[in-house]
């Protein structure tokens, strides 16, 4: 069902599936044996390459050791593009593969989900499946999704996000597809694989988790089964993100963030998202910036925007973020939650507005993958009136927007977008 239908009076709620999962230090060593159990013979491995780490080499060699044939597609770009998906589909078909493994963050998993759906429809373009449950053939190849970041949740969710590069180059379109058929067969969440994740990337992915957890907690979908997971994920993020960022070789912080990201995704899977994600998708569409970074910058502004319709819920968030809420009204506690989020953002060193994001604070050469084909001439973020307008229009068309806590119109959302681009976080602190 589409979000609009879920918001009707007396809606029927819908719970979306999760895959089986292996969680914990060392879980990645089970990929080969698990692939054999699932009947894999010739597997297309999809990844960005994770250059600078030996993760892809270790996993593919282990798969070969277990007798599997491996074909490697290691050109998935950040904010995966439709051509990444279709190149992988072609490689899969040319090599007569029978299964998929994705290794990486959300980009690798999302591109792989799109490729599986395309393969199940004789190689039809992935962009044909934008929307809710557009698969006509629910049977697609089996897929083991191996996460190397604590952020995405894509290894356990029914969502995948693709940039459609066939649209007007001045107005690129990044969309979320939700499809029960896209859910992986097995998720592997191993905090040992996070050890190579750079400091800034760890922090930014952590704010993707905070967005995944807080958006369903205040969403108008008000999906009861998601609320406990959402709060728990916020608590784990507040307790572990600083440690994971600044003491990256210490297991407890990494493991705490692994569970935070896993259960946050399970919260939004049926509980919905909101305009933190819509703003993030829009800015990525125009500038190819990192999803977690975008979420981090949007989060405090969107919390402030949504607060008047959900003070009680934000007061709960304050409590799990470690605020002593005794004696505070809901409004005071909600304000304290916002202060705590800004403190966390500053503690882990995230830029405070989009126009602060320069090539030096955000490298498109992350882990050595080089500039992406589609955005090699991308401008630095402008933030002028025209930019604010086009980002706002993209936000209003995003599939995450109807689930936002507060109703969104161009007039109400535009100032939020403008603040993300140009505003000062100190304006939000009480
Ligand atoms: Fe996200």
């Amino acid at each position: 069902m589409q979000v609009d239908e879920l918001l009707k009076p007396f809606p029927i709620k819908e719970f979306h599936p999760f895959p089986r999962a292996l969680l914990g230090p060392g879980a990645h060593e089970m990929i080969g044996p698990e692939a054999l159990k699932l009947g894999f013979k010739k597997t297309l491995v999809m990844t960005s390459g994770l250059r600078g780490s030996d993760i892809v080499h270790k996993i593919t060699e282990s798969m070969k050791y277990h007798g599997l044939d491996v074909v490697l597609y290691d050109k998935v770009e950040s904010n995966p593009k439709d051509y990444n998906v279709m190149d992988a589909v072609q490689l899969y078909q040319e090599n007569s593969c029978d299964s998929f493994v994705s290794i990486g963050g959300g980009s690798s998993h999302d591109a792989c989900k799109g490729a599986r759906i395309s393969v199940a429809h004789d190689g039809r373009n992935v962009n044909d499946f934008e929307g809710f449950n557009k698969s006509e053939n629910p049977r697609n190849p089996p897929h083991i999704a191996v996460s190397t970041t604590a952020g995405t949740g894509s290894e356990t969710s029914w969502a995948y996000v693709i940039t459609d590069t066939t649209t007007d180059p001045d107005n690129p379109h990044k969309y979320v597809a939700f499809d029960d058929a896209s859910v992986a067969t097995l998720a592997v969440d191993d905090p040992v694989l996070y050890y190579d994740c750079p400091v800034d990337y760890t922090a930014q992915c952590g704010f993707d988790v905070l967005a995944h957890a807080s958006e369903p907690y205040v969403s108008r979908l008000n999906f009861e089964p998601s609320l406990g997971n959402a709060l728990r994920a916020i608590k784990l993020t507040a307790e572990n993100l600083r440690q994971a960022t600044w003491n990256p070789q210490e297991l407890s912080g990494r493991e705490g963030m692994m569970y935070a990201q896993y259960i946050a995704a399970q919260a939004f899977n049926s509980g919905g998202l909101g305009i933190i994600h819509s703003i993030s998708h829009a800015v990525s569409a125009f500038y190819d910036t990192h999803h977690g970074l975008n979420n981090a910058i949007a989060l405090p502004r969107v919390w402030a925007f949504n607060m008047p319709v959900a003070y009680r819920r934000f007061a709960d968030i304050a409590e799990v973020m470690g605020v002593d809420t005794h004696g505070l009204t809901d409004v005071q506690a909600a304000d304290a939650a916002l202060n705590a989020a800004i403190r966390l953002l500053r503690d882990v060193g995230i830029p405070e507005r989009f126009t602060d994001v320069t090539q030096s604070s955000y490298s498109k050469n992350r882990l050595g993958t080089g500039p992406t084909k589609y955005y090699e001439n991308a401008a630095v973020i402008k933030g002028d009136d025209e930019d604010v307008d086009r980002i706002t229009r993209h936000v209003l068309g995003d599939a995450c927007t109807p689930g936002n806590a507060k109703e969104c119109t161009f007039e109400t959302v535009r100032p939020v977008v403008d603040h993300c681009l140009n505003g000062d976080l100190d304006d939000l602190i009480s």
Side-chain angles (χ1 to χ4, degrees):
M1 282 190 286
Q2 299 205 18
V3 173
D4 297 10
E5 295 168 41
L6 295 169
L7 290 168
K8 286 178 179 168
F10 311 113
I12 293 172
K13 307 279 187 178
E14 188 168 11
F15 189 91
H16 297 284
F18 310 140
R20 185 175 151 246
L22 295 172
L23 305 140
H28 76 277
E29 292 173 7
M30 299 302 293
I31 295 166
E34 289 290 333
L36 288 177
K37 269 183 9 195
L38 289 166
F40 289 22
K41 290 191 170 56
K42 193 170 197 180
T43 301
L44 184 71
V45 172
M46 290 183 65
T47 177
S48 63
L50 302 173
R51 292 167 183 84
S53 87
D54 63 352
I55 292 173
V56 174
H57 176 76
K58 265 169 47 182
I59 291 176
T60 53
E61 288 304 308
S62 167
M63 290 172 67
K64 290 177 195 168
Y65 173 79
H66 285 93
L68 296 156
D69 280 340
V70 173
V71 178
L72 182 64
Y73 177 78
D74 64 356
K75 296 182 178 58
V76 178
E77 296 169 4
S78 180
N79 303 308
K81 316 303 182 294
D82 45 12
Y83 55 77
N84 296 144
V85 177
M86 300 319 297
D87 287 351
V89 168
Q90 192 181 345
L91 199 58
Y92 183 95
Q93 291 171 329
E94 284 171 359
N95 287 279
S96 303
C97 296
D98 58 20
S99 49
F100 284 93
V101 167
S102 56
I103 307 170
S107 299
S108 297
H109 301 327
D110 289 2
C112 190
K113 289 163 146 177
R116 280 170 44 227
I117 286 176
S118 170
V119 163
H121 296 81
D122 300 322
R124 253 170 66 192
N125 192 290
V126 65
N127 296 330
D128 288 355
F129 302 96
E130 174 182 354
F132 288 85
N133 277 328
K134 287 293 172 67
S135 276
E136 292 152 21
N137 176 11
R139 285 184 298 281
N140 55 56
H143 172 197
I144 300 177
V146 186
S147 284
T148 60
T149 64
T152 168
S154 180
E155 82 286 358
T156 193
S157 83
W158 72 312
Y160 62 99
V161 188
I162 303 292
T163 300
D164 178 352
T165 63
T166 65
T167 46
D168 171 8
D170 293 330
N171 279 298
H173 177 52
K174 183 174 181 178
Y175 64 84
V176 195
F178 294 95
D179 199 323
D180 288 333
S182 77
V183 174
T185 317
L186 175 69
V188 175
D189 286 284
D190 184 341
V192 171
L193 299 183
Y194 305 161
Y195 280 15
D196 290 329
C197 194
V199 166
D200 56 348
Y201 205 48
T202 298
Q204 294 164 14
C205 291
F207 266 81
D208 193 18
V209 176
L210 201 53
H212 291 162
S214 62
E215 296 214 280
Y217 195 68
V218 301
S219 167
R220 283 182 296 167
L221 295 183
N222 195 25
F223 190 62
E224 191 71 37
S226 286
L227 302 184
N229 273 350
L231 275 188
R232 182 70 185 169
I234 294 168
K235 180 175 169 63
L236 285 169
T237 305
E239 290 174 352
N240 290 286
L241 184 57
R242 293 173 179 86
Q243 173 85 339
T245 303
W246 297 118
N247 195 2
Q249 305 301 315
E250 211 282 314
L251 181 62
S252 67
R254 293 294 200 182
E255 190 168 25
M257 285 310 300
M258 183 270 286
Y259 281 112
Q261 80 103 27
Y262 179 74
I263 64 178
Q266 302 205 330
F268 87 71
N269 205 43
S270 304
L273 291 168
I275 64 167
I276 298 174
H277 271 78
S278 307
I279 293 169
S280 179
H281 296 152
V283 175
S284 294
F286 294 120
Y287 293 109
D288 208 22
T289 42
H290 181 257
H291 177 69
L293 168 66
N294 294 355
N295 282 347
I297 292 172
L299 184 142
R301 282 81 181 191
V302 174
W303 279 20
F305 174 68
N306 283 331
M307 222 169 253
V309 296
Y311 281 122
R312 178 64 244 166
R313 292 283 168 96
F314 280 102
D316 295 340
I317 289 174
E319 201 171 323
V320 294
M321 291 189 81
V323 174
D324 181 358
T325 59
H326 293 292
L328 299 184
T329 65
D330 286 349
V331 174
Q332 289 168 328
D335 283 344
L338 179 55
N339 293 351
I342 293 170
R343 178 65 183 255
L344 181 59
L345 182 145
R346 288 176 167 167
D347 281 354
V348 296
I350 286 174
E352 300 200 4
R353 61 178 78 77
F354 282 117
T355 48
D356 286 348
V357 177
T358 61
Q359 293 296 333
S360 58
S361 64
Y362 174 74
S363 166
K364 289 196 169 77
N365 295 315
R366 197 151 301 283
L367 291 179
T369 52
T372 64
K373 191 162 71 179
Y374 190 63
Y375 289 92
E376 54 196 351
N377 299 315
V380 292
I381 294 176
K382 288 189 277 228
D384 57 17
D385 281 351
E386 194 186 329
D387 210 17
V388 176
D389 285 348
R390 68 177 183 159
I391 290 169
T392 305
R393 284 195 294 272
H394 197 290
V395 167
L396 293 173
D398 193 286
C400 297
T401 298
N404 190 65
K406 194 198 265 188
E407 183 87 34
C408 294
T409 64
F410 186 88
E411 288 68 29
T412 57
V413 172
R414 192 186 186 285
V416 181
V417 172
D418 192 15
H419 203 280
C420 291
L421 285 151
N422 302 301
D424 191 336
L425 276 184
D426 287 333
D427 301 345
L428 305 179
I429 293 174
S430 51

